[in-house]
């Protein structure tokens, strides 16, 4: 079931509106803008979560970020190799 909708009036720079219209495709400008706003809300929520976490545990270091990137890279390689070996 689809969420209820409402009609709203917004103001934005004309060049942004025209670019959004050009990219919106068959779903239309309203759906395109709604998806963009939903993505921004997700980002805002994640940023709030990061702020709360960093306030409690301190900021994540560059070394910790790199270690997690390395783990992700290794997991992706393992997946790719596993898929190739299974065939």
């Amino acid at each position: 079931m689809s969420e209820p909708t409402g009609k709203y009036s917004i103001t934005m720079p004309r060049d942004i509106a025209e670019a959004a219209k050009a990219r919106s495709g068959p779903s239309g400008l309203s759906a395109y803008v709604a998806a963009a706003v939903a993505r921004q809300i997700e980002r805002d929520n994640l940023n709030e979560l990061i702020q709360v976490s960093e306030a409690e545990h301190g900021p994540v270091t560059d070394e910790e970020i790199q270690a997690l990137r390395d783990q992700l890279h290794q997991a992706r390689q393992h997946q790719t190799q596993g898929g190739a070996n299974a065939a």
Side-chain angles (χ1 to χ4, degrees):
M1 181 187 286
S2 153
E3 292 288 324
T5 61
K7 187 168 182 144
Y8 304 93
S9 174
I10 62 169
T11 302
M12 71 175 76
R14 181 167 283 135
D15 60 333
I16 293 174
E18 291 304 319
K21 272 183 170 178
R23 293 179 177 265
S24 64
S27 62
L29 182 60
S30 291
Y32 189 86
V33 171
V37 171
R39 278 191 306 276
Q40 185 61 48
I41 290 169
E42 288 174 354
R43 287 175 155 235
D44 293 345
N45 288 340
L46 286 172
N47 284 332
E48 289 172 10
L49 182 61
I50 290 168
Q51 289 174 353
V52 168
S53 177
E54 286 185 342
E56 186 172 333
H57 304 287
V60 179
T61 67
D62 290 340
E63 292 79 17
E64 291 170 319
I65 292 170
Q66 188 58 51
L68 291 171
R69 284 183 175 148
D70 292 344
Q71 286 179 7
L72 180 60
H73 180 71
Q74 289 172 356
R76 286 181 175 158
Q77 279 186 320
H78 181 74
Q79 257 185 340
T80 302
Q81 291 169 354
N85 293 336

